[in-house]
Amino acid sequence: MQILTVSGLQKTYTTRFGSSKVQALKNVNFTVESGEYVAIMGESGSGKTTLLNILGGLDKATGGSVCYDDTDITKLADTALADFRLNKIGFVFQFYDLIPELTAKENILLPSKLAKKGKTDISDTVKKLGVENLLGRYPSELSGGQQQRVAIARALVNDPSVLLCDEPTGNLDVSTGNDVLSLLIDLNRNDNRTIVIVTHDNQLAEKCDRIIRISDGKITD
Ligand code: ADP
Ligand code: MG
């Protein structure tokens, strides 16, 4: 079953003073099956982050559609989109993007609070991610790998069907990166999460079900 269908996706950035345009995505088409683990690979500047941000509803396309099951998120109004993003999509960023003023636990629970779900029991998730002893710490008191594991716990707190990851190991040393990678594989294999991961890392991509290659805003393979 297809969980995600991307059709004719276009993104043109107009630079701040309107003097030039950058066509970052040029008619991108692909689908992702439910439970699949897909890597998006391409050189720096090829459009990977632009694509992932649009898939996650963090940025708007200038053409085409992004459908999760029957919902085309490019047609949603802002509040409906925010709601969809909060409940259906988990985002993991290269630089973790934890809120520095909140503890690990407060960071993990934030999406649940925003979704007014009032979840308080996160014991299963934090155990799985091995962060149960770090919950009272602030991000500045955590290593990069620990911060990323907290960020993954946060991405999972509202039980999203799809996890979008932008270079999640890009800022980590090889062995910490491998730990994070194993966690993601486990979430895919054992929890049946659909994962779309942007990466430079060939080793990481080899462990995925499929690699989508992007070059100059177009899918090449
Ligand atoms: P990648 O993640 O593959 O390195 P990006 O999606 O970040 O690539 O960028 C794709 C292209 O779009 C690049 O040419 C980049 O310079 C351009 N771009 C990205 N963000 C903006 C922006 N906010 N304004 C203008 N151009 C942008
Ligand atoms: Mg990028």
Side-chain angles (χ1 to χ4, degrees):
M1 196 184 73
Q2 277 159 16
I3 196 165
L4 174 63
T5 306
V6 177
S7 313
L9 199 65
Q10 312 256 2
K11 176 66 179 182
T12 304
Y13 290 108
T14 305
T15 51
R16 185 146 348 151
F17 300 108
S19 51
S20 66
K21 288 182 193 298
V22 179
Q23 253 190 299
L25 297 176
K26 304 165 181 170
N27 188 29
V28 168
N29 301 282
F30 65 92
T31 59
V32 175
E33 301 284 316
S34 180
E36 222 181 351
Y37 190 174
V38 180
I40 297 175
M41 295 195 78
E43 300 200 335
S44 179
S46 56
K48 304 182 298 298
T49 293
T50 302
L51 175 59
L52 209 70
N53 285 346
I54 293 173
L55 296 186
L58 298 173
D59 197 3
K60 294 223 182 277
T62 45
S65 61
V66 174
C67 296
Y68 287 90
D69 297 321
D70 297 331
T71 308
D72 179 356
I73 63 165
T74 65
K75 301 277 189 306
L76 294 179
D78 288 349
T79 46
L81 179 61
D83 208 45
F84 186 89
R85 193 169 58 220
L86 206 48
N87 289 290
K88 300 285 199 261
I89 300 171
F91 232 104
V92 179
F93 302 94
Q94 178 175 358
F95 298 105
Y96 333 122
D97 288 68
L98 298 173
I99 296 180
E101 294 82 8
L102 299 182
T103 62
K105 183 175 187 184
E106 289 165 344
N107 267 286
I108 294 168
L109 282 169
L110 187 61
S112 167
K113 210 169 165 184
L114 291 173
K116 302 197 168 59
K117 287 192 169 166
K119 184 171 180 160
T120 50
D121 182 9
I122 51 173
S123 50
D124 285 351
T125 312
V126 299
K127 248 180 238 141
K128 183 171 296 173
L129 289 158
V131 297
E132 69 269 38
N133 296 322
L134 306 173
L135 294 177
R137 295 207 207 167
Y138 289 88
S140 62
E141 299 167 337
L142 298 170
S143 71
Q146 291 170 334
Q147 287 188 63
Q148 194 60 301
R149 284 187 279 140
V150 168
I152 296 171
R154 176 182 60 181
L156 292 171
V157 75
N158 285 341
D159 198 21
S161 32
V162 181
L163 215 51
L164 303 176
C165 311
D166 193 357
E167 313 236 15
T169 64
N171 202 41
L172 302 175
D173 62 65
V174 174
S175 104
T176 313
N178 282 336
D179 290 346
V180 167
L181 180 60
S182 305
L183 274 169
L184 292 174
I185 292 173
D186 177 59
L187 290 170
N188 172 253
R189 300 278 185 271
N190 300 325
D191 284 3
N192 204 34
R193 305 270 170 198
T194 307
I195 300 184
V196 179
I197 185 167
V198 160
T199 181
H200 267 100
D201 184 342
N202 274 311
Q203 217 188 329
L204 191 161
E206 273 166 16
K207 301 209 169 81
C208 294
D209 297 326
R210 184 157 57 102
I211 300 176
I212 295 174
R213 291 188 193 278
I214 182 168
S215 172
D216 191 24
K218 287 179 290 216
I219 304 281
T220 55
D221 187 12

